[in-house]
């Protein structure tokens, strides 16, 4: 199975943030954002428990639930993704390692059972 287009774009954004993080001009900005976002996680867990109990009694639409969840959990989940990664499935542009042929770049995925790879010269 391969990564979706949106997953591939999100992973590339994570890669960019990770490359910017060691640079002095970006380090403090990224650290500050990560720190402030992670401080909200315990409160979000408590809110999640409260809302799951409340939602048993209040009927809301799936669209409204999704909107509420994105507003509530979107930023902390994005920060955790920057820390831990997102999706390591093969994707176009991704690097692969083969025991005999070495490192290669995925050039296309014509269907779910095949992956076309361009291997780099050794």
């Amino acid at each position: 199975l391969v990564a979706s287009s949106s997953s591939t774009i999100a992973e590339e954004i994570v890669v960019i943030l990770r490359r910017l993080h060691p640079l002095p001009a970006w380090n403090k900005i990224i650290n500050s954002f990560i720190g402030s976002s992670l401080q909200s996680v315990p409160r979000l867990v408590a809110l999640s428990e409260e809302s799951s109990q409340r939602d048993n009694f209040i009927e809301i639409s799936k669209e409204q639930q999704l909107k509420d969840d994105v507003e509530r959990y979107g930023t902390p989940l994005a920060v955790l993704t920057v820390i831990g990664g997102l999706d390591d499935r093969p994707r176009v542009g991704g690097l692969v390692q083969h025991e005999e042929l070495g490192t290669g770049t995925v050039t296309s995925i014509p269907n779910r059972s095949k992956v076309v790879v361009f291997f780099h010269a050794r």
Side-chain angles (χ1 to χ4, degrees):
L1 292 144
V2 297
S4 67
S5 298
S6 58
S7 177
T8 298
I9 292 168
E11 188 64 34
E12 286 301 315
I13 292 169
V14 169
V15 168
I16 290 169
L17 288 171
R18 287 179 173 177
R19 288 206 177 140
L20 290 173
H21 186 253
L23 302 176
W26 285 95
N27 186 271
K28 286 183 181 181
I29 296 166
I30 293 172
N31 283 347
S32 174
F33 187 77
I34 288 173
S36 65
S37 297
L38 291 179
Q39 287 178 356
S40 67
V41 171
R43 182 176 48 81
L44 291 172
V45 172
L47 283 173
S48 176
E49 291 171 359
E50 289 173 16
S51 68
S52 67
Q53 292 171 358
R54 184 187 71 237
D55 291 346
N56 290 334
F57 301 105
I58 301 171
E59 190 164 328
I60 59 175
S61 71
K62 288 187 181 192
E63 292 88 14
Q64 185 60 44
Q65 181 65 48
L66 179 61
K67 182 180 175 189
D68 291 349
D69 287 349
V70 168
E71 287 178 15
R72 191 178 297 149
Y73 304 113
T75 300
L77 286 175
V79 164
L80 290 171
T81 299
V82 169
I83 293 169
L86 178 67
D87 192 348
D88 61 357
R89 293 178 292 178
R91 61 182 176 80
V92 173
L95 295 178
V96 295
Q97 188 69 35
H98 187 274
E99 288 180 5
E100 296 173 11
L101 301 174
T103 303
T105 302
V106 176
T107 58
S108 69
I109 304 170
N111 61 44
R112 293 196 182 272
S113 62
K114 293 183 181 181
V115 176
V116 179
V117 177
F118 173 79
F119 285 98
H120 309 174
R122 286 185 153 194

